[in-house]
Amino acid sequence: MIEEALKEQVYALRERKDGAVEALVEQYTGPLMGAAFALGFPETDAEELVQETFAALLSSISRFEMRSQLKTYLFGILYNKAKTLRGKQAREKRVDPQDPVFQGRFDKMGLWTAPPKGPEDAALNDELRGWIRRCSEGLSLTQRAVLFLKDVDGEETESVCNILELSHTNVRVLLHRARNKMRECLEKHWD
Amino acid sequence: MMKMPFMSSCKELTDTLAEGELESVYWHKRLLIRMHLAMCVHCNRFAGQLALIAKALREHWKPRARVHGYDAVKRRILSHLKGQGPNRC
Protein backbone atom coordinates (compact mmCIF):
# COMPACT_ATOMS: atom_id res chain seq x y z
CA MET A 1 0.00 0.00 0.00
CA ILE A 2 1.73 3.19 -1.16
CA GLU A 3 1.45 6.09 1.29
CA GLU A 4 -0.60 9.05 0.06
CA ALA A 5 2.09 11.55 1.02
CA LEU A 6 4.68 9.67 -1.06
CA LYS A 7 2.32 9.47 -4.05
CA GLU A 8 1.55 13.19 -3.84
CA GLN A 9 5.22 14.10 -3.62
CA VAL A 10 6.23 11.87 -6.53
CA TYR A 11 3.35 13.06 -8.78
CA ALA A 12 4.22 16.68 -7.95
CA LEU A 13 7.85 16.04 -8.94
CA ARG A 14 6.83 14.26 -12.15
CA GLU A 15 4.68 17.21 -13.14
CA ARG A 16 7.23 19.72 -11.86
CA LYS A 17 4.55 21.46 -9.83
CA ASP A 18 5.51 24.77 -8.25
CA GLY A 19 7.60 24.26 -5.16
CA ALA A 20 7.96 20.47 -5.59
CA VAL A 21 11.68 20.53 -6.35
CA GLU A 22 12.29 23.14 -3.66
CA ALA A 23 10.53 20.94 -1.12
CA LEU A 24 12.59 17.92 -2.19
CA VAL A 25 15.88 19.82 -1.82
CA GLU A 26 14.77 21.31 1.50
CA GLN A 27 13.81 17.92 2.91
CA TYR A 28 16.72 15.77 1.79
CA THR A 29 19.83 17.98 1.46
CA GLY A 30 20.75 17.60 5.14
CA PRO A 31 20.38 13.80 5.32
CA LEU A 32 22.18 13.34 1.99
CA MET A 33 25.06 15.62 2.99
CA GLY A 34 25.34 13.64 6.23
CA ALA A 35 25.50 10.41 4.24
CA ALA A 36 28.12 11.86 1.85
CA PHE A 37 30.33 12.88 4.81
CA ALA A 38 29.94 9.41 6.29
CA LEU A 39 31.11 7.96 2.98
CA GLY A 40 34.29 10.04 3.37
CA PHE A 41 33.71 12.95 1.02
CA PRO A 42 34.88 16.45 2.00
CA GLU A 43 32.34 19.27 1.84
CA THR A 44 32.74 20.44 -1.77
CA ASP A 45 32.74 16.88 -3.13
CA ALA A 46 29.77 16.03 -0.89
CA GLU A 47 27.81 18.95 -2.32
CA GLU A 48 28.57 17.85 -5.88
CA LEU A 49 27.55 14.30 -5.04
CA VAL A 50 24.25 15.43 -3.52
CA GLN A 51 23.55 17.73 -6.47
CA GLU A 52 24.10 14.85 -8.90
CA THR A 53 21.87 12.65 -6.78
CA PHE A 54 18.97 15.09 -7.01
CA ALA A 55 19.55 15.51 -10.75
CA ALA A 56 19.54 11.75 -11.25
CA LEU A 57 16.33 11.43 -9.24
CA LEU A 58 14.57 14.09 -11.30
CA SER A 59 15.70 12.39 -14.53
CA SER A 60 14.38 9.04 -13.40
CA ILE A 61 11.31 10.09 -11.38
CA SER A 62 8.90 8.80 -14.03
CA ARG A 63 10.40 5.33 -13.57
CA PHE A 64 10.31 5.39 -9.74
CA GLU A 65 7.65 2.82 -8.84
CA MET A 66 7.28 3.87 -5.19
CA ARG A 67 8.11 0.38 -3.91
CA SER A 68 10.43 2.10 -1.43
CA GLN A 69 10.49 5.46 0.31
CA LEU A 70 11.99 8.41 -1.55
CA LYS A 71 14.78 8.64 1.04
CA THR A 72 15.73 5.00 0.40
CA TYR A 73 15.76 5.61 -3.36
CA LEU A 74 17.86 8.77 -2.95
CA PHE A 75 20.37 7.03 -0.69
CA GLY A 76 20.72 4.25 -3.25
CA ILE A 77 21.47 6.76 -6.00
CA LEU A 78 23.95 8.60 -3.75
CA TYR A 79 25.78 5.39 -2.88
CA ASN A 80 26.09 4.34 -6.55
CA LYS A 81 27.33 7.79 -7.52
CA ALA A 82 29.82 7.67 -4.65
CA LYS A 83 31.18 4.37 -5.97
CA THR A 84 31.58 5.91 -9.43
CA LEU A 85 33.26 9.04 -8.04
CA ARG A 86 35.68 6.91 -6.07
CA GLY A 87 36.34 4.82 -9.17
CA LYS A 88 35.69 1.78 -7.02
CA GLN A 89 36.07 -1.20 -9.27
CA ALA A 90 37.34 -3.76 -6.78
CA ARG A 91 34.78 -5.87 -4.96
CA GLU A 92 34.78 -6.14 -1.21
CA LYS A 93 37.39 -8.73 -0.27
CA ARG A 94 36.06 -12.20 0.54
CA VAL A 95 38.34 -12.27 3.56
CA ASP A 96 39.09 -8.99 5.31
CA PRO A 97 42.58 -8.84 6.89
CA GLN A 98 40.80 -8.09 10.15
CA ASP A 99 38.86 -11.40 10.10
CA PRO A 100 41.69 -13.65 11.36
CA VAL A 101 42.59 -11.04 14.01
CA PHE A 102 39.11 -11.27 15.47
CA GLN A 103 38.87 -15.06 15.06
CA GLY A 104 42.18 -15.37 16.92
CA ARG A 105 40.65 -13.86 20.05
CA PHE A 106 38.62 -17.04 20.77
CA ASP A 107 39.45 -20.68 21.48
CA LYS A 108 37.74 -23.66 19.83
CA MET A 109 34.92 -23.50 22.37
CA GLY A 110 34.24 -19.89 21.46
CA LEU A 111 35.60 -18.50 24.74
CA TRP A 112 37.81 -15.43 24.91
CA THR A 113 41.56 -16.04 24.85
CA ALA A 114 42.35 -12.37 24.10
CA PRO A 115 39.44 -10.41 25.61
CA PRO A 116 38.75 -6.82 24.59
CA LYS A 117 40.79 -4.15 26.34
CA GLY A 118 39.71 -0.64 27.11
CA PRO A 119 36.68 0.84 28.82
CA GLU A 120 33.12 -0.44 28.53
CA ASP A 121 32.02 3.15 28.18
CA ALA A 122 33.85 6.46 27.95
CA ALA A 123 33.17 10.15 27.72
CA LEU A 124 33.25 11.49 24.18
CA ASN A 125 36.18 13.85 24.55
CA ASP A 126 38.14 15.46 21.70
CA GLU A 127 40.82 12.78 21.83
CA LEU A 128 38.31 9.98 21.39
CA ARG A 129 36.53 11.90 18.62
CA GLY A 130 39.86 12.26 16.82
CA TRP A 131 40.45 8.52 17.07
CA ILE A 132 36.94 7.78 15.82
CA ARG A 133 37.61 9.98 12.78
CA ARG A 134 40.99 8.35 12.10
CA CYS A 135 39.68 4.83 12.55
CA SER A 136 36.68 5.43 10.29
CA GLU A 137 39.11 6.42 7.50
CA GLY A 138 40.29 2.80 7.44
CA LEU A 139 36.84 1.55 6.41
CA SER A 140 35.90 0.76 2.81
CA LEU A 141 33.17 2.79 1.10
CA THR A 142 30.60 0.03 1.53
CA GLN A 143 31.56 -0.62 5.16
CA ARG A 144 31.07 3.10 5.82
CA ALA A 145 27.70 3.03 4.04
CA VAL A 146 26.45 0.08 6.09
CA LEU A 147 27.73 1.55 9.37
CA PHE A 148 26.14 4.93 8.60
CA LEU A 149 22.78 3.46 7.65
CA LYS A 150 22.62 1.11 10.65
CA ASP A 151 24.33 2.96 13.50
CA VAL A 152 23.75 6.60 12.56
CA ASP A 153 20.51 6.55 10.57
CA GLY A 154 18.98 3.60 12.45
CA GLU A 155 17.76 1.82 9.32
CA GLU A 156 16.49 -1.74 9.52
CA THR A 157 18.72 -4.35 7.87
CA GLU A 158 16.12 -4.98 5.15
CA SER A 159 16.14 -1.30 4.25
CA VAL A 160 19.96 -1.31 4.09
CA CYS A 161 19.78 -4.32 1.76
CA ASN A 162 17.40 -2.43 -0.55
CA ILE A 163 19.40 0.80 -0.53
CA LEU A 164 22.75 -0.82 -1.21
CA GLU A 165 21.34 -3.70 -3.32
CA LEU A 166 23.07 -6.26 -1.16
CA SER A 167 21.90 -9.52 0.33
CA HIS A 168 21.09 -9.84 4.03
CA THR A 169 24.22 -11.98 4.47
CA ASN A 170 26.43 -9.39 2.79
CA VAL A 171 25.09 -6.61 5.00
CA ARG A 172 25.65 -8.70 8.14
CA VAL A 173 29.23 -9.50 7.12
CA LEU A 174 29.99 -5.87 6.19
CA LEU A 175 28.56 -4.59 9.47
CA HIS A 176 30.51 -7.20 11.44
CA ARG A 177 33.76 -6.20 9.71
CA ALA A 178 33.12 -2.46 10.00
CA ARG A 179 32.28 -2.60 13.71
CA ASN A 180 35.21 -4.90 14.49
CA LYS A 181 37.63 -2.79 12.48
CA MET A 182 36.57 0.29 14.41
CA ARG A 183 36.83 -1.53 17.77
CA GLU A 184 40.22 -3.09 17.00
CA CYS A 185 41.52 0.30 15.83
CA LEU A 186 40.27 2.05 18.96
CA GLU A 187 41.70 -0.66 21.22
CA LYS A 188 45.18 0.33 20.06
CA HIS A 189 44.44 3.80 21.43
CA TRP A 190 43.12 2.38 24.70
CA ASP A 191 46.18 0.16 25.06
CA MET B 1 33.33 -17.46 31.58
CA MET B 2 32.65 -21.17 31.03
CA LYS B 3 30.41 -22.23 28.17
CA MET B 4 27.00 -22.92 29.72
CA PRO B 5 24.53 -25.30 28.09
CA PHE B 6 21.94 -23.57 25.85
CA MET B 7 23.85 -20.31 26.05
CA SER B 8 25.75 -18.84 23.14
CA SER B 9 29.52 -18.94 23.37
CA CYS B 10 31.32 -15.62 23.65
CA LYS B 11 32.27 -15.89 19.96
CA GLU B 12 28.65 -16.55 18.91
CA LEU B 13 27.41 -13.69 21.05
CA THR B 14 29.94 -11.16 19.73
CA ASP B 15 29.11 -12.24 16.17
CA THR B 16 25.40 -11.66 16.86
CA LEU B 17 26.11 -8.21 18.29
CA ALA B 18 28.58 -7.16 15.58
CA GLU B 19 26.24 -8.35 12.80
CA GLY B 20 23.39 -6.28 14.23
CA GLU B 21 21.23 -9.37 14.69
CA LEU B 22 20.27 -9.01 18.37
CA GLU B 23 16.79 -7.66 17.64
CA SER B 24 16.04 -10.29 15.03
CA VAL B 25 16.66 -13.38 17.20
CA TYR B 26 13.78 -15.10 19.03
CA TRP B 27 12.90 -13.67 22.44
CA HIS B 28 14.21 -16.67 24.38
CA LYS B 29 17.58 -16.40 22.64
CA ARG B 30 17.63 -12.67 23.36
CA LEU B 31 17.01 -13.47 27.03
CA LEU B 32 19.91 -15.95 27.07
CA ILE B 33 22.13 -13.32 25.44
CA ARG B 34 21.19 -10.77 28.09
CA MET B 35 21.94 -13.33 30.81
CA HIS B 36 25.33 -14.01 29.21
CA LEU B 37 26.07 -10.28 29.13
CA ALA B 38 25.14 -10.01 32.80
CA MET B 39 27.66 -12.73 33.69
CA CYS B 40 30.52 -12.14 31.24
CA VAL B 41 32.59 -9.03 31.85
CA HIS B 42 34.47 -9.42 28.54
CA CYS B 43 31.36 -9.68 26.36
CA ASN B 44 29.78 -6.86 28.32
CA ARG B 45 32.83 -4.71 27.56
CA PHE B 46 32.63 -5.65 23.88
CA ALA B 47 28.93 -4.72 23.73
CA GLY B 48 29.59 -1.45 25.55
CA GLN B 49 32.36 -0.55 23.14
CA LEU B 50 30.14 -1.19 20.09
CA ALA B 51 27.51 1.11 21.63
CA LEU B 52 30.18 3.75 22.31
CA ILE B 53 31.41 3.57 18.70
CA ALA B 54 27.83 3.98 17.39
CA LYS B 55 27.29 6.99 19.69
CA ALA B 56 30.57 8.57 18.58
CA LEU B 57 29.81 8.00 14.89
CA ARG B 58 26.39 9.66 15.31
CA GLU B 59 28.19 12.68 16.76
CA HIS B 60 30.93 12.65 14.14
CA TRP B 61 28.85 12.08 11.01
CA LYS B 62 25.65 13.96 11.76
CA PRO B 63 26.31 17.21 13.59
CA ARG B 64 27.52 19.22 10.58
CA ALA B 65 23.96 19.18 9.23
CA ARG B 66 22.68 20.76 12.42
CA VAL B 67 25.51 23.29 12.60
CA HIS B 68 25.43 24.41 8.97
CA GLY B 69 21.74 24.32 8.18
CA TYR B 70 22.90 24.01 4.57
CA ASP B 71 20.99 27.08 3.36
CA ALA B 72 23.75 28.09 0.97
CA VAL B 73 24.18 24.50 -0.26
CA LYS B 74 20.44 24.20 -0.92
CA ARG B 75 20.41 27.49 -2.86
CA ARG B 76 23.30 26.39 -5.07
CA ILE B 77 21.79 22.96 -5.68
CA LEU B 78 18.41 24.46 -6.61
CA SER B 79 20.05 26.99 -8.88
CA HIS B 80 21.94 24.19 -10.64
CA LEU B 81 18.83 22.00 -10.97
CA LYS B 82 16.77 24.85 -12.36
CA GLY B 83 19.47 25.70 -14.86
CA GLN B 84 19.58 22.18 -16.29
CA GLY B 85 16.98 22.70 -19.00
CA PRO B 86 13.29 21.88 -19.53
CA ASN B 87 13.55 18.16 -18.76
CA ARG B 88 15.22 18.61 -15.41
CA CYS B 89 13.44 21.34 -13.58
Side-chain angles (χ1 to χ4, degrees), chain A residues 16 22 26 37 43 47 55 59 103 106 110-112 115 117-120 129 151 172 176 179 183, chain B residues 1 10-11 15 17-21 42-43 45 48-49 58-59 68 70 74 76 80 82 87-88:
Chain A
R16 298 295 193 266
E22 285 82 351
E26 178 62 37
F37 289 137
E43 187 142 349
E47 185 176 325
S59 292
Q103 307 301 330
F106 301 93
L111 300 174
W112 290 100
K117 293 178 190 162
E120 182 184 311
R129 287 190 188 96
D151 280 353
R172 276 175 35 214
H176 188 289
R179 284 174 170 171
R183 209 209 62 76
Chain B
M1 184 175 125
C10 296
K11 171 76 172 63
D15 282 342
L17 293 177
E19 289 172 3
E21 294 294 289
H42 303 312
C43 288
R45 179 170 295 127
Q49 289 174 349
R58 281 192 291 274
E59 258 213 28
H68 281 228
Y70 291 128
K74 288 171 192 171
R76 284 194 293 270
H80 178 86
K82 285 182 182 296
N87 287 336
R88 291 286 176 120

Side-chain angles (χ1 to χ4, degrees), chain B residues 16-52:
Chain B
T16 301
L17 293 177
E19 289 172 3
E21 294 294 289
L22 181 62
E23 296 313 315
S24 64
V25 299
Y26 284 117
W27 67 267
H28 60 271
K29 179 128 192 229
R30 214 176 310 142
L31 187 62
L32 288 171
I33 287 172
R34 295 204 191 279
M35 282 171 61
H36 182 129
L37 286 171
M39 292 190 286
C40 180
V41 64
H42 303 312
C43 288
N44 206 32
R45 179 170 295 127
F46 183 88
Q49 289 174 349
L50 291 192
L52 175 62

